Amino acid sequence: MGLKGFVEGGIASIVAGCSTHPLDLIKVRMQLQGEGPSPVQSLRPAMAYPTSAAHNIHLPPPPPPPAARVGPLAVGIRIIQQDGAAALFSGVSATVLRQTLYSTTRMGLYDILKQKWTDPKTNTMPLTRKIVAGLIAGGIGAAVGNPADVAMVRMQADGRLPAAQRRNYKSVVDAISQMTKNEGVTSLWRGSSLTVNRAMLVTASQLASYDQFKEMIIDKGLMKDGLGTHVTASFAAGFVAAVASNPVDVIKTRVMNMKVEAGKERPYSGALDCAMKTIKAEGPMALYKGFIPTISRQGPFTIVLFVTLEQVRKLLKDF
């Protein structure tokens, strides 16, 4: 029964991940908008004595105005115009590997914990236990799938760079091998703490809220256990997951995508440094940058995930 949960979750996750990949790519591109080195101004010391040539104070030029933020539709159109429609599926091989490692693990572990913690008499599981099960399953799944996650973010973000600066990974295998060769094995787990934190939030909010919404709809007699219930509960779960995870997702995307060059200072020393620099340069709402494509992706992804999962469960119920 434990293995069956992994198979069911893995199939549903791969189908959902591939079908919503273009929305995820647009989300990543939007999260990276406005990223760049913040201008550093040289300030004259307050107590400095003027020299003969210092009476004419030359103030540093004002920083350039921030680039206008572009909406998800405009980002998608720009990608198609610059690189063709196939570019919307850049990094899809990494998505398949990520869903195979990360989502299969989290879905299977959540199913095992759900079976163990469900009250056999009432056949129910308290919301707190659902959340704890989601936190555990999400954290372990993220640790397993982080290399594919880093590769996916880089492959999705590559098209926004000038041609001379692109990494031009041919596939997820090429991306992982180049990262290992050029930046060391540890680069595969860059941003892993953020990935784990995000995955814990997403899994706890997504899986736990889906089960909770589904039970509420059925128990209150609003709908029967069928496609309508699955779609309604899964969309509500997707919205909850998007609100909970978007700030961590923005920071994770930027940390994973940063380019580390020998002899040069890293753009971010860590997650907290990235968060502080992002807020300082772009304001606190930058942590919800890309929220529209996030919810646009989380909604369909969660619907496809759980509707597919319910159908796969029906097909494999006799196994």
Side-chain angles (χ1 to χ4, degrees):
M1 289 298 295
L3 181 61
K4 186 180 173 183
F6 284 93
V7 174
E8 293 169 346
I11 294 172
S13 298
I14 291 170
V15 171
C18 291
S19 60
T20 59
H21 182 83
L23 295 172
D24 195 47
L25 184 143
I26 291 171
K27 177 203 72 174
V28 167
R29 296 285 180 90
M30 289 190 69
Q31 288 176 339
L32 293 171
Q33 285 186 49
E35 186 183 33
S38 54
V40 178
Q41 298 182 357
S42 299
L43 300 179
R44 181 173 175 265
M47 299 300 293
Y49 291 100
T51 61
S52 58
H55 293 287
N56 295 323
I57 301 174
H58 299 284
L59 296 175
R69 294 180 181 178
V70 184
L73 185 60
V75 171
I77 293 172
R78 181 186 295 174
I79 292 170
I80 294 172
Q81 289 176 339
Q82 291 180 347
D83 302 307
L88 291 173
F89 285 89
S90 298
V92 72
S93 60
T95 292
V96 172
L97 180 60
R98 178 178 181 267
Q99 298 299 338
T100 302
L101 297 175
Y102 159 61
S103 287
T104 300
T105 303
R106 74 177 183 126
M107 298 288 283
L109 287 176
Y110 181 82
D111 193 58
I112 290 174
L113 294 172
K114 185 178 173 182
Q115 290 177 29
K116 289 184 178 296
W117 292 350
T118 296
D119 189 336
K121 295 180 181 179
T122 61
N123 200 31
T124 59
M125 181 177 171
L127 178 59
T128 51
R129 288 192 178 184
K130 292 173 186 172
I131 293 173
V132 172
L135 292 171
I136 295 171
I140 296 173
V144 172
N146 200 82
D149 208 0
V150 177
M152 183 185 73
V153 167
R154 290 191 175 196
M155 292 174 75
Q156 289 177 334
D158 212 32
R160 68 184 284 272
L161 298 172
Q165 297 179 20
R166 294 183 182 180
R167 299 179 175 103
N168 294 319
Y169 298 135
K170 298 180 180 66
S171 65
V172 63
V173 176
D174 180 49
I176 291 174
S177 62
Q178 282 199 42
M179 280 189 285
T180 304
K181 181 180 177 182
N182 299 330
E183 303 174 48
V185 177
T186 55
S187 66
L188 299 178
W189 274 270
R190 180 172 295 152
S192 59
S193 62
L194 290 165
T195 307
V196 169
N197 290 333
R198 176 188 178 276
M200 291 172 72
L201 289 172
V202 168
T203 306
S205 56
Q206 188 183 66
L207 301 188
S209 60
Y210 173 76
D211 284 342
Q212 195 69 20
F213 284 126
K214 180 182 172 184
E215 289 174 11
M216 288 171 59
I217 292 170
I218 295 172
D219 291 344
K220 292 184 181 297
L222 300 175
M223 284 186 280
K224 294 181 179 180
D225 188 4
L227 183 61
T229 299
H230 302 158
V231 171
T232 304
S234 57
F235 185 82
F239 181 81
V240 173
V243 172
S245 66
N246 202 87
V248 179
D249 200 27
V250 171
I251 304 304
K252 175 184 78 75
T253 297
R254 295 191 172 197
V255 170
M256 285 183 170
N257 186 59
M258 69 176 176
K259 199 165 187 176
V260 179
E261 299 180 14
K264 292 187 178 180
E265 186 180 357
R266 294 160 64 100
Y268 309 116
S269 60
L272 183 60
D273 180 53
C274 179
M276 296 304 294
K277 285 181 177 177
T278 299
I279 293 171
K280 185 177 180 180
E282 304 167 54
M285 288 308 296
L287 296 179
Y288 275 92
K289 187 172 286 187
F291 180 75
I292 298 301
T294 294
I295 188 59
S296 300
R297 185 254 180 187
Q298 276 285 7
F301 175 86
T302 311
I303 291 171
V304 175
L305 174 67
F306 287 115
V307 169
T308 305
L309 180 63
E310 298 285 359
Q311 298 307 311
V312 172
R313 281 174 176 169
K314 290 180 180 178
L315 291 172
L316 300 180
K317 66 180 180 181
D318 296 328
F319 290 91

